[in-house]
Amino acid sequence: MHIPDGFLDLKTCVTTGVAGALAVAFGLRKTRDTLMRQEVPKIALIGAFIFAAQMLNFPISGATSGHFLGGTLAAILFGPAVAVIVMASVLIIQALVFQDGGLTVLGANILCTGVIGIYSGYGFYRLGLGLLRGRASHVVTFLAAWISIVSASAGVALLLAWSDTFPLDIALKAMVGWHSLIGIGEGFITAMVVAYLTERRIAIEPLPAKREVPQA
């Protein structure tokens, strides 16, 4: 879902650059107040997993590409503020080292995958668990991840249309259409990884402890 250089006009690059910088600054401020040192290795491990998974790209028309995002995975495990920092770090390394996504559109990529994708997926996750009172958590996780990648792709399509790069209908069809399919894989991977890691308490927010049976 990386947008290359030259696909967004100046106004869009500047606007999204400011928005992306503000999102990262907010995430850094939030995590500085709440993050504990011992949690950093866990976050780094998940960030490395997301980085590796994102290297598998699926070409889409218009020189864009689709891939696993992982933002909802990080948000569920560590919270959305940490997830934004993780996604921004991954995108910066990819742009600087692998030329995967342009530097002038870095803010746009952070905005779509690191803000729209994360908060839409995490918001649905929290809402779904609240409505179902914790039941069917795997299904909620799957749908949250699917929604995150579709929402992020819709954000990319809107930015491409705003820059007059492609008409909105063509951009939406190319991005949302393909990512609706890619999102199925995103949902399955996210649900499986979250289930595995939460069972082993690899998350910042502590899970409820098991109730001990009193000894006679």
Side-chain angles (χ1 to χ4, degrees):
M1 200 178 296
H2 296 86
I3 306 172
D5 282 323
F7 273 64
L8 301 181
D9 60 11
L10 180 61
K11 73 175 188 305
T12 308
C13 289
V14 172
T15 303
T16 56
V18 172
L22 290 175
V24 172
F26 173 79
L28 288 172
R29 182 177 180 180
K30 186 81 171 177
T31 55
R32 182 183 61 188
D33 297 334
T34 60
L35 186 62
M36 293 184 293
R37 186 184 298 269
Q38 60 266 29
E39 303 297 343
V40 174
K42 300 176 184 179
I43 297 171
L45 179 63
I46 295 300
F49 171 78
I50 292 173
F51 178 86
Q54 281 197 11
M55 297 304 291
L56 299 175
N57 290 300
F58 305 94
I60 296 176
S61 61
T64 56
S65 61
H67 55 73
F68 177 80
L69 285 186
T72 299
L73 170 63
I76 290 172
L77 295 176
F78 306 118
V82 174
V84 169
I85 302 303
V86 170
M87 293 298 293
S89 301
V90 169
L91 290 168
I92 290 171
I93 294 173
Q94 288 176 338
L96 291 175
V97 179
F98 298 97
Q99 289 77 51
D100 194 1
L103 290 175
T104 62
V105 294
L106 183 59
N109 286 324
I110 291 175
L111 180 63
C112 291
T113 63
V115 178
I116 296 175
I118 286 172
Y119 280 94
S120 62
Y122 185 73
F124 178 87
Y125 174 79
R126 298 297 299 182
L127 178 63
L129 288 186
L131 292 175
L132 296 177
R133 298 182 180 180
R135 296 188 295 257
S137 60
H138 297 333
V139 176
V140 173
T141 302
F142 172 89
L143 292 175
W146 184 88
I147 287 172
S148 73
I149 197 170
V150 172
S151 299
S153 67
V156 172
L158 290 173
L159 293 181
L160 292 174
W162 191 31
S163 297
D164 295 324
T165 306
F166 297 105
L168 181 59
D169 58 338
I170 294 177
L172 284 173
K173 182 178 180 180
M175 295 301 299
V176 176
W178 280 105
H179 283 89
S180 295
L181 299 177
I182 296 173
I184 297 174
E186 175 101 7
F188 277 120
I189 293 172
T190 302
M192 288 188 295
V193 173
V194 167
Y196 178 83
L197 295 181
T198 51
E199 286 179 0
R200 286 152 182 80
R201 299 299 193 266
I202 304 180
I204 283 181
E205 297 181 358
L207 299 176
K210 292 182 179 180
R211 300 181 65 179
E212 302 254 347
V213 178
Q215 298 293 329

